[in-house]
Amino acid sequence: MAKREIDLNIVDVENREMRLGSIISWDGSAEELVQNSRYEIRSRDKRKSVDGCAGKKEKGCRLCELNMPFNQQTMCSHSIVGCQVGNIPDCILIEHSPIGCSAIHARFNLGYKMGLARRGKKIENLQIFSTNLQENDMVFGASDKLRQTILDVQERFNPKAIFISMSCSTAIIGEDIESIADEMEDELGIPVIPLFCEGFRSKHWSTGFDISQHGIMRQIVNKNPIKQEDLINIIALWGTDYFTEILKPLGLRVNYMIDMASFDELAQASEAALTATFCHTLGSYMATALENEYGVPQVDAGQPYGLKGTDDWLRSIAKLMGKEDIIEDYIKSEHERVLPKIEELRKKLSGVKGFVATGSSYAHGMISVIRELGILVDGSIVFHHDPVYDSGKAEQDTLKDLIDTYGNIDHFTVSKTQQFQFYGLLKRVDPDFIIIRHNGLAPLAAKIGIPAFAMGDEHFPVGYDGIIRVGEALIEILARKKFGQVLQRHVKLPYSDWWLSQEDPFILAKHPEILDEIVSEDSTVAEIGVETVIKPEKKVSKSKKATAKSKSA
Amino acid sequence: MTEINQSIQSNTIVHPRYGCAIGAVNTVAAIPRGIPIANCGPGCADKQYFMLSFSNGFQGAGYSGGGAVPSSNVGENEIVFGGHKKLDELIKASLKIMDGDIFVVLTGCAVELIGDDVGAIVKEYQQKGYPVVHAEAAGFKGNNLVGHETVVKAIVDQYVGEYKGRKKKGLINLWFDVPYYHANWRGNNIELKRVLEGAGFKVNILFGSESAGTSEWKEIPKAQFNLVVSPWVGLDIAQHLEAKYKQPFLHVPIIPIGEEATTEFIRNVVAFAGIDNKKAEDFIKVEAERYYYFLEHFSEFFSEYWFGLPARFVSVGEAAYNLAITKYLTDQIGLIPAKQIITDNTPEKHRNNIRELFHGISDEFPLDVEFIEDGYLIEQQVKNVDYGSSVPLILGSSWESDVAKELNGLLIPISTPIVSEVVINRTYVGYTGALTLLEKIYSETVRG
């Protein structure tokens, strides 16, 4: 076991695909993915992560991308940076880019305001600025506009820190945001933090989490920490504050990061007794940086989902806090408290099949929770896969933990919100519902009669009570099948019959030549423009639906 | 009233109210069975979806929008070595996987800057007979309104093609709302088409539920004329069509709201077309009677409500609906326009004309019109208006929520982005829409 070196002296962050060997396109069983990820080997030798696993088919590598010639629009690292450092109330993010890169702010504002409400903070609109670049700026450079916007921000808000995010266009024209940040930091006397998060840079948006955390570690986190022995960093997003209650018996105060945290709350990260997270995909980089740099330990466990996951997670925290004496009683009483209700839910949900489509290690936790409820899961999607996390800790290998505890998942797919593949992936296992984060996929599920539980509050499934919360919500979600069935009867999907009849959603990665054969045929030309009759999609087996419905009633 | 020095408006924008040119993927997706192909970085089309569809009345993106949009999602490899191969594969695969009638490649900032010759790639498909079009839609070239015009012209030139035949009298190409940009565009299209058909016309509506798709686009050159119902968006398209197909156009800058404006609109269009007005007048009679049946009922509330009605209003939004709604509320309801802020980055050459149109709305009240895109300055302006003795009425976007709260005012969403309402088929235009607008404003009023 070895941690990743995180060099806080340099402004750049190495991409996940280079640092961890992350992939975005893969299909197989969860067991195969665990074997091929070779977590322990990778954690020992970084080169093993990179060699052959950044999309190159090299000798000895078995975790290769299934490169598809077709992709649909997704999210980028720049967006992630926006919804991370753009959500700090007393700091301001400037997006150095044309206005289109800022077009998602109204959506971020929804999450931000909800988050402020959940954390009991003053609810105000998000303030992310754009330098609003034009064609001339692409030719002559835009440094003066960046300086102007920095000054506007300073005058209007007097923030505690300013972040600057690079976009595709400003990266290509070579804007030197690092020098301008240095210059303005001297002028203004507050941290001005450049973030190199241009969208084309990494094949997966989650690199944006690392970039945000890297900037905070370098320029905000207190470099001369005074230990706060009862403080626990929870690297989170916008979720409801369930952690305070879960951790109260251990005498811990929660310091949530990054979203909605103030400058001071971020600065004190180095003073905490330990760091944990609801999702290692999100938190591993910062947790490891805090551990390496300031000796703040991170949990030696997976994530707090399901009974065993929560038990292990609490035990690990108790051990780090020297509270092993009380933890077993706490766990025992919690089990006694929640088990009767979980049993009840298991009965109601018996025979129901679920499908999870979320970010990487969060999916592992989510599947644990629904399996804890007795729900069958034989297929799921992660939007990318990290074969190892920055901590390199074997205890944090959440996918291995999942299959060791609850068994294999026959169809476990890595696919970056690719709606066209989602159809085949759902048909392959025919679930009664999906649990989903990110956009783009759930509408397709609805159109083939499968209701979606949009897991907007990511802390919802956390801990012992999370199991109950999820079970109860699912009963309500299953009732929405009605709506999906109406759509299924009347609404057509935007995909060709040829594509919808493919059994393997990765066929084109394995046989790209199919496209040449088919497109060169004249018949295809003739097909285009012919009016298409609306055909309802093949219906999901009726008997199974009836079962699910009667259970949810 | 505090005046803010306009010279402090810099390049800076906070709280954006439009997307960029690549947002026109939504223009393509609004054509039935039209498939946009976003030739840009990952994240570009996603962000535009959130501005124009999700955070804009949660409209949904329909058949081929949202998560269905094919994209080259260019990465470092393409930036360094060029994206030709990836785009070629993507187009080929899109033709096979997506079930559509027209495919439009929109090229964004990153690909434009590295200088890929997208036209050459697309041309090969065009020569083989595939309905593929390309359009330059780099975000640094303009916003989604400019992108919309660019895409429409590209489709006309590369897909609709040449036409030298006869025109069909009474057939109109309607250039009206930019799809998805105004949250009510779908309902607006239904109402304006209904009005024009009621008056005896046939209408190529081209987008949304009432469009026949590509077959209708092929009819564009056959139309008697182009009708632009908008202060500036679409003029460029009409001028292009005038040159290309020798098709005249009628420009109606103020979208008709209410009986008097809609009736006048119909009579103008009928006169321009030179068609017999019998059908139009019969239609007007029925519509007017119905409108005033409802207005009479509404007037009882309006004249007898004890608990306060708003009087002075500010409007913040795109030129088109800011102008149309300001006119209706001032001229037909008797509200007092206090400040009008246009946020759509109207091109300089159209601004004076728009100022004149605002000034023409009322002899009684001077209309104070400003063009501002930076949310901070907009909110300062809204805050500093004198709202008199009544509850402040703010017609704007959801970004005005903080200032509306501070003023204890009523916020009626009329412009992008809108996150406080789910919009399906609603309209505020024409005969029926005006009544819905009244319903909306006064429901908020009585809710308090």
Side-chain angles (χ1 to χ4, degrees):
Chain A
M1 183 201 96
K3 282 178 278 195
R4 286 281 174 270
E5 290 299 319
I6 291 174
D7 188 351
L8 295 178
N9 293 313
I10 55 168
V11 69
D12 252 334
V13 177
E14 204 176 12
N15 289 337
R16 282 209 178 190
E17 52 266 44
M18 297 307 289
R19 210 172 72 240
L20 308 174
S22 306
I23 56 166
I24 59 168
S25 186
W26 188 89
D27 196 32
S29 76
E31 251 168 24
E32 284 172 77
L33 189 57
V34 168
Q35 282 161 14
N36 297 353
S37 293
R38 301 176 304 167
Y39 189 103
E40 293 217 33
I41 296 171
R42 279 173 209 270
S43 77
R44 283 199 298 272
D45 183 353
K46 187 190 159 197
R47 281 168 306 163
K48 290 262 168 40
S49 279
V50 178
D51 286 353
C53 290
K56 298 171 205 143
K57 290 186 182 177
E58 288 175 17
K59 201 180 168 190
C61 170
R62 288 179 297 160
L63 188 59
C64 289
E65 295 273 20
L66 285 164
N67 285 318
M68 295 287 284
F70 181 79
N71 282 284
Q72 286 162 312
Q73 60 109 334
T74 65
M75 205 181 180
C76 63
S77 302
H78 182 272
S79 248
I80 290 292
V81 163
C83 73
Q84 294 293 289
V85 302
N87 279 197
I88 304 168
D90 52 1
C91 300
I92 296 281
L93 166 65
I94 296 170
E95 296 180 335
H96 189 35
S97 45
I99 197 66
C101 297
S102 304
I104 197 169
H105 291 179
R107 163 66 184 83
F108 287 169
N109 194 34
L110 278 179
Y112 177 62
K113 285 174 124 174
M114 178 63 82
L116 289 169
R118 286 175 182 157
R119 304 282 162 80
K121 300 198 172 195
K122 189 180 178 198
I123 300 165
E124 279 183 318
N125 279 332
L126 183 81
Q127 309 283 347
I128 303 178
F129 283 71
S130 169
T131 52
N132 180 29
L133 303 183
Q134 312 292 321
E135 192 159 17
N136 268 347
D137 304 316
M138 297 299 125
V139 181
F140 301 110
S143 301
D144 285 341
K145 285 197 171 173
L146 177 56
R147 287 189 188 92
Q148 176 66 50
T149 302
I150 293 171
L151 293 174
D152 287 343
V153 163
Q154 177 69 8
E155 192 188 311
R156 294 174 184 183
F157 288 95
N158 195 20
K160 295 245 176 81
I162 292 173
F163 295 88
I164 303 165
S165 68
M166 190 75 112
S167 66
C168 291
S169 54
T170 38
I172 293 171
I173 64 168
E175 283 292 292
D176 187 358
I177 63 169
E178 191 179 353
S179 297
I180 296 170
D182 285 349
E183 172 196 321
M184 297 307 285
E185 181 162 299
D186 289 344
E187 192 179 323
L188 304 179
I190 56 167
V192 180
I193 305 165
L195 302 172
F196 294 88
C197 56
E198 53 273 21
F200 64 75
R201 204 150 173 263
S202 175
K203 64 187 174 188
H204 196 264
W205 63 70
S206 55
T207 293
F209 293 123
D210 312 334
I211 295 169
S212 304
Q213 295 167 6
H214 189 79
I216 288 166
M217 284 301 300
R218 271 169 51 86
Q219 290 178 262
I220 293 184
V221 167
N222 190 351
K223 294 194 167 48
N224 302 298
I226 302 158
K227 245 338 166 233
Q228 300 187 46
E229 291 299 345
D230 63 341
L231 193 68
I232 178 169
N233 295 320
I234 299 283
I235 300 170
L237 297 169
W238 309 270
T240 297
D241 176 23
Y242 296 120
F243 283 93
T244 293
E245 204 184 327
I246 295 171
L247 294 167
K248 205 178 277 169
L250 294 165
L252 286 165
R253 277 185 301 129
V254 175
N255 187 42
Y256 284 113
M257 300 187 294
I258 296 175
D259 292 300
M260 288 87 59
S262 67
F263 180 93
D264 291 342
E265 285 167 335
L266 295 169
Q268 68 176 352
S270 54
E271 304 181 350
L274 74 162
T275 304
T277 177
F278 81 100
C279 169
H280 287 309
T281 296
L282 171 78
S284 187
Y285 188 86
M286 190 159 187
T288 304
L290 285 164
E291 191 168 56
N292 291 359
E293 206 71 18
Y294 299 105
V296 179
Q298 56 179 314
V299 287
D300 290 306
Q303 302 167 148
Y305 300 104
L307 292 170
K308 182 181 175 294
T310 307
D311 295 350
D312 290 352
W313 191 80
L314 284 170
R315 282 192 186 108
S316 165
I317 291 172
K319 194 174 168 195
L320 288 166
M321 295 298 297
K323 303 249 171 145
E324 285 155 295
D325 53 328
I326 59 163
I327 195 65
E328 293 309 323
D329 284 348
Y330 176 40
I331 289 172
K332 188 163 169 278
S333 72
E334 285 293 274
H335 279 224
E336 281 167 7
R337 185 173 65 82
V338 297
L339 270 171
K341 185 71 192 168
I342 291 173
E343 267 311 318
E344 209 177 291
L345 287 164
R346 280 175 183 157
K347 280 185 201 126
K348 285 185 185 163
L349 292 163
S350 160
V352 171
K353 189 192 274 192
F355 188 103
V356 171
T358 74
S360 189
S361 64
Y362 187 69
H364 310 155
M366 201 62 250
I367 297 166
S368 304
V369 172
I370 61 175
R371 279 185 160 177
E372 195 72 73
L373 287 161
I375 290 165
L376 307 169
V377 180
D378 58 355
S380 278
I381 291 176
V382 286
F383 299 144
H384 81 288
H385 174 70
D386 299 319
V388 65
Y389 302 120
D390 284 291
S391 74
K393 285 179 187 290
E395 299 84 353
Q396 290 186 358
D397 187 351
T398 48
L399 184 57
K400 183 167 183 299
D401 206 18
L402 166 65
I403 61 172
D404 285 352
T405 311
Y406 301 97
N408 192 20
I409 297 154
D410 294 340
H411 301 286
F412 198 79
T413 306
V414 186
S415 171
K416 193 174 84 165
T417 58
Q418 295 300 302
Q419 192 194 77
F420 77 110
Q421 290 183 314
F422 197 37
Y423 177 82
L425 297 173
L426 288 176
K427 286 285 169 188
R428 190 159 74 181
V429 293
D430 197 11
D432 296 298
F433 69 89
I434 60 167
I435 293 182
I436 197 151
R437 281 177 67 80
H438 294 260
N439 65 298
L441 297 184
L444 178 134
K447 287 174 193 169
I448 59 172
I450 301 170
F453 183 4
M455 189 59 73
D457 181 351
E458 55 278 348
H459 292 174
F460 196 76
V462 159
Y464 301 113
D465 290 299
I467 306 166
I468 297 169
R469 283 191 291 268
V470 169
E472 286 176 343
L474 283 174
I475 287 164
E476 296 164 7
I477 296 293
L478 285 165
R480 288 189 205 160
K481 264 196 173 199
K482 289 280 183 197
F483 180 67
Q485 285 161 351
V486 172
L487 285 181
Q488 187 182 22
R489 288 196 288 272
H490 302 287
V491 174
K492 188 194 172 304
L493 294 176
Y495 304 105
S496 65
D497 291 343
W498 173 80
W499 177 250
L500 296 177
S501 68
Q502 297 303 307
E503 281 180 8
D504 181 359
F506 289 89
I507 182 86
L508 291 173
K510 296 164 189 164
H511 298 286
E513 70 283 359
I514 291 175
L515 284 180
D516 293 323
E517 291 161 17
I518 294 159
V519 174
S520 62
E521 280 171 20
D522 287 340
S523 60
T524 318
V525 182
E527 271 173 30
I528 294 164
V530 172
E531 268 186 45
T532 307
V533 181
I534 294 176
K535 295 172 212 151
E537 296 306 318
K538 224 174 102 186
K539 290 189 178 175
V540 184
S541 127
K542 273 211 166 138
S543 56
K544 208 162 75 53
K545 279 185 187 177
T547 322
K549 205 170 69 188
S550 63
K551 298 228 172 64
S552 62
Chain B
M1 197 171 2
T2 315
E3 278 299 319
I4 286 205
N5 182 0
Q6 279 306 291
S7 67
I8 64 168
Q9 180 163 359
S10 64
N11 57 294
T12 303
I13 284 185
V14 68
H15 298 166
R17 290 136 203 278
Y18 48 72
C20 69
I22 204 92
V25 291
N26 294 290
T27 291
V28 180
I31 301 170
R33 297 177 54 77
I35 311 287
I37 298 177
N39 183 29
C40 51
C44 300
D46 184 59
K47 286 175 172 175
Q48 309 315 309
Y49 161 78
F50 276 107
M51 172 65 89
L52 298 171
S53 168
F54 185 91
S55 324
N56 203 19
F58 307 96
Q59 296 172 57
Y63 183 74
S64 56
V69 176
S71 175
S72 51
N73 296 339
V74 293
E76 204 137 41
N77 190 57
E78 285 76 45
I79 300 300
V80 176
F81 301 108
H84 288 89
K85 185 169 173 287
K86 196 168 186 185
L87 177 62
D88 187 49
E89 276 184 347
L90 177 68
I91 296 173
K92 204 189 291 177
S94 298
L95 289 166
K96 192 59 205 162
I97 292 173
M98 304 302 293
D99 187 15
D101 292 339
I102 182 168
F103 298 75
V104 182
V105 179
L106 293 93
T107 297
C109 296
V111 180
E112 178 109 12
L113 286 171
I114 60 169
D116 276 3
D117 189 354
V118 176
I121 299 167
V122 169
K123 202 163 184 190
E124 282 187 28
Y125 286 90
Q126 291 173 343
Q127 281 167 348
K128 286 179 195 158
Y130 292 104
V132 187
V133 166
H134 72 95
E136 288 180 2
F140 55 75
K141 288 195 166 171
N143 66 16
N144 61 291
L145 305 178
V146 173
H148 167 77
E149 290 186 322
T150 305
V151 162
V152 168
K153 286 187 290 180
I155 296 173
V156 166
D157 290 347
Q158 298 169 46
Y159 175 77
V160 178
E162 301 306 314
Y163 179 78
K164 299 254 184 297
R166 293 165 59 105
K167 306 284 191 226
K168 290 184 183 170
K169 190 160 187 177
L171 178 62
I172 298 174
N173 299 322
L174 182 63
W175 305 103
F176 177 37
D177 283 357
V178 174
Y180 292 94
Y181 177 56
H182 191 270
N184 293 359
W185 72 277
R186 293 169 297 177
N188 295 344
N189 272 357
I190 291 172
E191 175 67 359
L192 215 53
K193 190 177 186 208
R194 185 187 76 86
V195 163
L196 289 166
E197 285 178 348
F201 293 101
K202 286 203 168 5
V203 182
N204 289 329
I205 193 87
L206 306 168
F207 303 103
S209 63
E210 309 310 292
S211 168
T214 49
S215 63
E216 197 182 33
W217 281 73
K218 286 283 189 191
E219 291 289 302
I220 287 175
K222 297 177 190 164
Q224 183 189 352
F225 63 100
N226 289 291
L227 176 58
V228 179
V229 186
S230 156
W232 70 271
V233 181
L235 267 182
D236 196 34
I237 296 168
Q239 282 156 359
H240 186 75
L241 292 168
E242 184 178 47
K244 192 177 177 76
Y245 299 128
K246 308 225 171 335
Q247 231 167 11
F249 68 88
L250 172 62
H251 181 203
V252 179
I254 307 183
I255 297 163
I257 302 181
E259 188 282 322
E260 292 189 354
T262 309
T263 295
E264 188 192 338
F265 166 77
I266 292 174
R267 288 186 178 137
N268 280 347
V269 180
V270 166
F272 182 85
I275 63 165
D276 181 74
N277 70 353
K278 168 81 171 64
K279 194 170 176 201
E281 290 303 326
D282 289 349
F283 178 73
I284 287 168
K285 188 163 179 292
V286 172
E287 292 292 319
E289 272 178 22
R290 186 190 300 129
Y291 179 87
Y292 291 112
Y293 172 86
F294 286 106
L295 202 71
E296 183 187 1
H297 282 76
F298 168 76
S299 72
E300 294 171 31
F301 155 79
F302 196 65
S303 47
E304 288 188 334
Y305 189 67
W306 280 18
F307 311 104
L309 297 177
R312 287 185 165 78
F313 70 99
V314 299
S315 48
V316 181
E318 61 184 296
Y321 283 92
N322 200 329
L323 182 56
I325 291 174
T326 296
K327 181 176 156 74
Y328 179 68
L329 296 181
T330 307
D331 182 50
Q332 299 280 302
I333 307 300
L335 300 191
I336 302 168
K339 170 73 82 181
Q340 275 51 56
I341 301 170
I342 294 174
T343 59
D344 64 5
N345 195 15
T346 304
E348 202 53 54
K349 62 179 174 184
H350 298 298
R351 290 190 179 189
N352 269 339
N353 186 35
I354 289 170
R355 280 191 193 96
E356 291 298 312
L357 290 164
F358 270 98
H359 294 153
I361 288 175
S362 170
D363 295 332
E364 213 173 331
F365 301 103
L367 271 105
D368 188 4
V369 188
E370 304 208 30
F371 294 85
I372 316 177
E373 299 144 61
D374 177 13
Y376 177 83
L377 297 177
I378 291 167
E379 288 150 44
Q380 295 294 316
Q381 295 267 18
V382 171
K383 203 183 296 182
N384 290 325
V385 164
D386 176 4
Y387 292 95
S389 65
S390 304
V391 58
L393 175 60
I394 299 154
L395 305 154
S397 76
S398 288
W399 286 125
E400 277 68 64
S401 59
D402 278 357
V403 64
K405 202 159 125 195
E406 199 182 322
L407 294 167
N408 208 9
L410 299 171
L411 176 61
I412 309 291
I414 60 155
S415 61
T416 322
I418 297 173
V419 293
S420 61
E421 291 183 344
V422 175
V423 178
I424 300 179
N425 63 352
R426 184 181 71 187
T427 177
Y428 292 155
V429 311
Y431 294 109
T432 63
L435 300 172
T436 308
L437 177 61
L438 293 180
E439 252 177 31
K440 175 72 194 168
I441 292 173
Y442 292 98
S443 293
E444 289 296 323
T445 304
V446 298
R447 189 176 297 137

